[in-house]
Amino acid sequence: MNKFLLIKCMVLGALSFPTPFLIYFYVFGIYPTPNDYFARFFVVIFLILSGGLVGTVYYYRDSAMDTIKDWFPSGKQHR
């Protein structure tokens, strides 16, 4: 398992997956009451965590990742 590549997929999924939903919520005015920051915080955290889950699934299920895993080192390199 390549930990660097897994973390990279999780971060990219967390940063890219929620963006369309947050734009949709902003454009159409779908948001909790202005004083309810607690609910707004949980909506954003839920979207970020679900994006991380999408990145993790991509890492394990995509066949194109097998070739990329060979390019990234997964541990200390011995000479």
Side-chain angles (χ1 to χ4, degrees):
M1 178 171 77
N2 194 328
K3 292 179 186 177
F4 173 76
L5 197 55
L6 176 61
I7 292 171
K8 180 181 174 184
C9 287
M10 290 172 68
V11 168
L12 288 176
L15 294 177
S16 63
F17 178 73
T19 305
F21 295 104
L22 293 176
I23 291 170
Y24 177 79
F25 293 158
Y26 178 75
V27 168
F28 291 104
I30 301 172
Y31 52 87
T33 57
N35 295 331
D36 196 7
Y37 294 108
F38 190 66
R40 189 177 294 183
F41 173 76
F42 276 116
V43 167
V44 171
I45 290 299
F46 175 76
L47 288 174
I48 289 174
L49 290 177
S50 60
L53 183 65
V54 167
T56 304
V57 169
Y58 175 75
Y59 176 79
Y60 285 110
R61 302 292 279 176
D62 191 21
S63 61
M65 290 300 289
D66 291 334
T67 56
I68 296 173
K69 288 177 188 176
D70 294 336
W71 286 86
F72 284 94
S74 59
K76 291 184 178 182
Q77 300 295 319
H78 299 286
R79 291 182 180 234

